[in-house]
Amino acid sequence: MGEALFGKYIVRLDVWYAKLKAFLTHFVVTALVAAIVSYLVFKQWFPEPFAKMMDAGSLLILVLMCDLLLGPLVSFVIYNPQKKLKTLVSDYVVVVGIQIAALAYGMSTVVDLRPVFLVFTADRYVVVSAGELSSQEIEQGSNADFPKASFGGYRTVYVERISDPEKQMALIMSSLDGGRDLQHVVENYRPVSAHVAEVLARAKSLDELEEKFPESHHLLEKELVSVGRDRTDLLWLPVQAQKAFWTALIDKKTALPVGWLEIDPL
């Protein structure tokens, strides 16, 4: 009887070992997928600081953490080496299907939110996300003359005003209703390099920023060190995203943003 109990104990240990192995395998695979997705989102689609500026990371991180924890835990529960292969495959199809569906939902939200253009309009740079334009408009605005932040990242452009009075009025009414505005008129996109003077004419000195927002001094000095630039080479402009206003440090020669401050200048 003792030998029977000992044998049963060994069998149980083997089952628990197999479950732990299944958990770890599932965890490693899920972690690898999460790492690839995180790199794509936070390094390519949302170069610093746009993930934070547009609050893109919250939902995706929640989905990834659920996938990373719940998937392997369910795997630990359902796995049993004594199950038939057909049953195990059926169980894992359900678990992996749920994980993929959750990840696809999170990714679809992020895809629509990702910045595709950083548009100078009037007196500021405005972030235009993929969900604000059609795929045809994105393709139309993706001119090789417009500098790109990264693979799959946004392009920085200047948008010319609409000359037609009727179209201009229609756009004003649209913007008042919360619809399309000048930054969405992709056919009017132009290289910033051809409009440096117009952009710089609206930019302001860093001294003025510090005078208006004394708390900005520490953030400014830290960002200057981070980007390796001298304050005498830079100006600033507001940056408007969907849910926030930030401050962009602007190169005096190119009129392009080279640094970012989490300060609402408006």
Side-chain angles (χ1 to χ4, degrees):
M1 184 175 180
E3 291 181 357
L5 287 175
F6 181 74
K8 190 174 182 180
Y9 176 74
I10 293 298
V11 170
R12 286 182 178 178
L13 278 182
D14 288 343
V15 171
W16 283 104
Y17 176 77
K19 282 178 172 289
L20 180 60
K21 186 177 179 180
F23 171 86
L24 293 176
T25 301
H26 198 149
F27 181 85
V28 169
V29 172
T30 304
L32 180 60
V33 173
I36 293 172
V37 169
S38 298
Y39 175 80
L40 176 64
V41 171
F42 297 113
K43 293 297 183 181
Q44 301 299 325
W45 288 353
F46 291 86
E48 282 289 334
F50 288 91
K52 185 175 184 180
M53 185 188 298
M54 304 182 75
D55 194 26
S58 302
L59 175 61
L60 185 63
I61 289 174
L62 177 62
V63 171
L64 289 178
M65 290 304 295
C66 287
D67 267 1
L68 197 59
L69 295 176
L70 295 182
L73 283 175
V74 172
S75 187
F76 182 83
V77 172
I78 67 173
Y79 186 82
N80 189 326
Q82 297 174 354
K83 282 185 177 181
K84 293 182 178 180
L85 179 61
K86 185 177 179 180
T87 303
L88 282 175
V89 170
S90 178
D91 289 344
Y92 273 98
V93 165
V94 174
V95 174
V96 174
I98 293 173
Q99 283 189 283
I100 292 175
L103 182 60
Y105 170 73
M107 287 294 288
S108 67
T109 303
V110 171
V111 165
D112 283 343
L113 190 60
R114 68 185 175 91
V116 287
F117 296 105
L118 182 63
V119 186
F120 180 83
T121 170
D123 61 350
R124 68 193 64 176
Y125 275 103
V126 180
V127 181
V128 177
S129 63
E132 298 177 59
L133 301 173
S134 68
S135 57
Q136 292 81 5
E137 287 174 320
I138 294 175
E139 184 178 354
Q140 182 181 354
S142 299
N143 190 310
D145 293 334
F146 305 150
K148 198 171 186 179
S150 63
F151 175 79
Y154 64 91
R155 296 181 185 272
T156 305
V157 302
Y158 176 97
V159 63
E160 291 184 339
R161 291 183 177 276
I162 296 176
S163 56
D164 186 305
E166 291 186 5
K167 291 182 178 179
Q168 192 176 50
M169 180 56 65
L171 193 65
I172 291 173
M173 297 305 296
S174 172
S175 66
L176 290 175
D177 288 337
R180 294 170 66 84
D181 207 339
L182 183 60
Q183 64 266 22
H184 301 121
V185 185
V186 296
E187 59 266 28
N188 282 22
Y189 285 0
R190 303 290 184 268
V192 174
S193 58
H195 296 272
V196 171
E198 292 96 319
V199 177
L200 294 182
R202 307 300 297 185
K204 300 176 183 179
S205 72
L206 298 184
D207 290 339
E208 183 176 338
L209 179 68
E210 290 181 311
E211 182 179 345
K212 187 177 181 181
F213 302 99
E215 69 277 12
S216 69
H217 177 74
H218 174 70
L219 291 175
L220 176 59
E221 292 301 318
K222 184 178 179 180
E223 185 67 5
L224 289 174
V225 172
S226 176
V227 299
R229 301 298 294 267
D230 191 281
R231 63 182 297 135
T232 58
D233 299 330
L234 304 174
L235 299 169
W236 70 272
L237 280 169
V239 178
Q240 179 182 343
Q242 288 184 333
K243 298 181 180 180
F245 282 92
W246 280 47
T247 299
L249 302 182
I250 306 299
D251 188 293
K252 285 184 178 180
K253 293 181 180 179
T254 65
L256 295 173
V258 295
W260 313 90
L261 300 176
E262 193 176 357
I263 296 173
D264 182 350
L266 301 179

